Amino acid sequence: MTNESSNLSQRAIQSLNIANPMRDALMDAWDYIFHPVNPVINLGVAQNDLMNDELGEKIPASIGFELADLNYGRPEGSYRLRQLVASTITRHFKPIRDVEQDHIIVTAGAGAAIFYLTMAVTDPGDSVLVVSPYYGNLDADVCFNSQVDLVPLYLNENGDDWDMHVDDEVLEHTFDDAVNNKGKRIKALLITNPHNPFGRCFSREALETLLQFASRHHLHVISDEVYGLSTFGDLVVHSHDDTHVQKESFLSLLSFPDLDQVIDPSLVHVAYSISKDFCMNGLRMGFIIDQYNTELRNVLSTSAMFSWTSSINDRLVSNILEDEAWVDHFLATNKRRLANAYKVAVDALKHHGLEFIPANAGHFITVDARSLLKERNNGPSPTIEDERWLWKTLLDRGVYIAAGHVFHTRYPGIFRVTFTIEEEKLRKGIAILAQVLQSAA
């Protein structure tokens, strides 16, 4: 549709033309996932159903509606909510410096947090480097309406996207190519830790290399840490034949030792939410945590008017977080259940002879289907078309998974499988995945 026929602004048209494979795939699968009678087994959306019983009891008991909730609250979140979020982060992330309530800006989810951070630190025409592969909806979170684009930053040349080793020479080459050959103005570096889609944590050494790189080029660093308390590697014993075993524990940039010796701390910003660690995707509440940049926080407090959480949501989450014993028990229980669900997924994948990338965090495991898919076209490697064929065939067979291209993987044939669902459905979904793959080989 042209501007003449639609009467849209050029900014709107540009936003509509932004490539977003994850959104496109979800929209194509929408009627399958939310079919009122026979929905597919949903192994594609990172939603944790393992704690539904606990939340089903706690949330109704915590709403606590008051007439004051009909009035406006603070756009950046109530003092009480921000104080409780700060206390929860301090208790569980173990930051070097205690998080305080004025370090917190409340937003409508982590995506909104990243969007408003992008708007605050970039200008139209700027670019953001994003550690790649990356969570596909960052295409929208960063680029929609901002007139900013993403530049993929693959961390090494080892050949495996899930290798969390960071090669400084590769970083510099990517930066130089973007700036000097493609005319990009790079203003920020976006990191997701624990990583999505691979469910793996960056080592301190890897984070330090990334921070030093950002410091050399005076880049803001946005760290998406929404799976920070969904780690389970210490509860999983990998067998001796598992390759690519990743055992790093999660290290928040809030907890990075001697941060000011590596980078100007005012350039470091953390995004968090209740969606993943607290299993509440639908409540849409996220947080920007910024400890060292008062001017930026002032800007974000103003933009929070466009991401205003409801007073009822504010009170509900405050009431939940205020019960520290419940929160601590909830997070510990969730961690155990994540480990158990992961073991079920690994057992099922091994039973069916499917290759996978071991994980230690998050709600998903990555299946490497390249060796089976490449036989479908008798080529040296699978293609995007092979990947899309598997995705659509599975959908028709009653299973939705997330294909690698929506995460901008370099090599087709990688799929993200969510394991935080009912065990029977998980095993059935993986069995159908194996059947379709083996029929293609």
Side-chain angles (χ1 to χ4, degrees):
M1 185 178 289
T2 65
N3 194 31
E4 288 76 19
S5 62
S6 64
N7 295 314
L8 293 177
S9 69
Q10 289 299 316
R11 179 178 60 247
I13 292 172
Q14 179 183 339
S15 293
L16 286 174
N17 289 332
I18 292 168
N20 189 339
M22 173 168 277
R23 176 196 59 198
D24 295 343
L26 185 58
M27 291 302 98
D28 287 343
W30 194 265
D31 290 339
Y32 292 83
I33 298 171
F34 298 103
H35 192 281
V37 178
N38 190 29
V40 297
I41 296 173
N42 189 352
L43 301 181
V45 176
Q47 179 168 316
N48 184 352
D49 296 335
L50 303 178
M51 301 297 292
N52 283 354
D53 289 344
E54 284 77 4
L55 291 170
E57 293 179 2
K58 186 65 174 177
I59 289 177
S62 301
I63 292 178
F65 171 77
E66 297 182 6
L67 284 176
D69 295 330
L70 299 178
N71 299 326
Y72 290 114
R74 294 186 61 135
E76 70 273 28
S78 69
Y79 180 93
R80 177 183 178 224
L81 173 61
R82 289 180 289 121
Q83 190 174 42
L84 287 165
V85 171
S87 173
T88 302
I89 294 294
T90 297
R91 236 174 39 253
H92 289 279
F93 277 49
K94 301 294 189 295
I96 298 299
R97 173 188 177 188
D98 285 357
V99 178
E100 301 170 8
Q101 64 83 23
D102 64 345
H103 299 157
I104 304 289
I105 306 294
V106 182
T107 63
I114 291 169
F115 171 76
Y116 286 110
L117 277 168
T118 299
M119 295 293 284
V121 303
T122 63
D123 293 306
D126 286 344
S127 299
V128 172
L129 283 171
V130 56
V131 171
S132 300
Y134 60 89
Y135 167 56
N137 215 45
L138 293 177
D139 290 324
D141 297 340
V142 171
C143 304
F144 197 83
N145 278 347
S146 67
Q147 296 176 288
V148 171
D149 70 342
L150 283 170
V151 176
L153 178 65
Y154 297 95
L155 299 179
N156 53 64
E157 296 177 346
N158 292 352
D160 292 333
D161 281 341
W162 51 87
D163 186 338
M164 308 297 281
H165 169 72
V166 181
D167 187 330
D168 190 57
E169 291 186 6
V170 173
L171 306 186
E172 291 294 341
H173 174 77
T174 301
F175 184 88
D176 180 71
D177 179 64
V179 172
N180 296 317
N181 296 331
K182 298 174 181 173
K184 303 288 187 181
R185 299 196 309 265
I186 308 293
K187 290 294 183 66
L189 170 65
L190 178 54
I191 305 168
T192 301
N193 182 38
H195 190 276
N196 183 0
F198 295 120
R200 314 179 84 165
C201 301
F202 285 99
S203 67
R204 174 179 171 177
E205 293 73 21
L207 290 173
E208 184 168 7
T209 301
L210 288 166
L211 290 171
Q212 289 172 336
F213 163 74
S215 181
R216 286 196 299 272
H217 299 289
H218 198 72
L219 304 179
H220 286 270
V221 177
I222 301 172
S223 183
D224 178 349
E225 302 183 358
V226 297
Y227 293 100
L229 301 179
S230 293
T231 59
F232 52 84
D234 55 322
L235 301 180
V236 175
V237 178
H238 294 278
S239 65
H240 70 280
D241 58 341
D242 281 342
T243 58
H244 311 290
V245 172
Q246 208 272 342
K247 298 180 180 179
E248 297 293 344
S249 58
F250 169 68
L251 175 65
S252 170
L253 291 192
L254 300 170
S255 312
F256 196 91
D258 301 317
L259 181 67
D260 60 348
Q261 301 301 307
V262 182
I263 190 173
D264 178 355
S266 70
L267 294 172
V268 177
H269 326 289
V270 171
Y272 189 64
S273 81
I274 62 171
S275 295
K276 306 306 179 182
D277 292 341
F278 288 88
C279 315
M280 294 187 278
N281 287 1
L283 289 189
R284 309 311 308 137
M285 183 179 289
F287 314 101
I288 296 168
I289 308 169
D290 193 293
Q291 294 185 294
Y292 299 98
N293 196 323
T294 303
E295 188 175 11
L296 175 62
R297 293 200 303 269
N298 290 338
V299 170
L300 293 169
S301 293
T302 301
S303 64
M305 288 189 295
F306 305 103
S307 186
W308 211 318
T309 191
S310 73
S311 298
I312 294 176
N313 234 14
D314 190 302
R315 183 181 301 280
L316 167 61
V317 176
S318 296
N319 288 344
I320 290 173
L321 295 182
E322 192 169 51
D323 189 346
E324 291 186 0
W326 184 90
V327 168
D328 295 350
H329 177 73
F330 179 90
L331 292 172
T333 303
N334 183 47
K335 182 174 179 176
R336 290 194 300 272
R337 291 182 186 171
L338 285 170
N340 290 336
Y342 173 79
K343 292 173 187 175
V344 170
V346 167
D347 176 70
L349 292 168
K350 287 183 175 181
H351 175 76
H352 292 288
L354 298 181
E355 298 181 23
F356 63 92
I357 314 304
N360 70 353
H363 303 164
F364 32 75
I365 189 169
T366 311
V367 174
D368 184 356
R370 290 177 295 175
S371 62
L372 291 171
L373 272 184
K374 72 179 182 181
E375 298 183 31
R376 179 174 179 265
N377 61 18
N378 295 316
S381 59
T383 64
I384 290 291
E385 287 67 33
D386 295 320
E387 191 170 279
R388 288 178 175 143
W389 168 84
L390 177 60
W391 179 85
K392 183 60 169 65
T393 302
L394 283 170
L395 205 54
D396 291 336
R397 291 282 303 275
V399 178
Y400 173 60
I401 62 173
H405 71 271
V406 308
F407 304 103
H408 303 272
T409 54
R410 285 182 286 184
Y411 314 105
I414 307 294
F415 296 84
R416 194 191 73 176
V417 174
T418 298
F419 56 74
T420 48
I421 67 170
E422 181 185 335
E423 180 175 339
E424 182 179 351
K425 290 183 178 179
L426 176 60
R427 290 189 182 276
K428 182 178 179 180
I430 290 175
I432 294 172
L433 169 62
Q435 290 167 9
V436 173
L437 275 172
Q438 288 157 6
S439 71

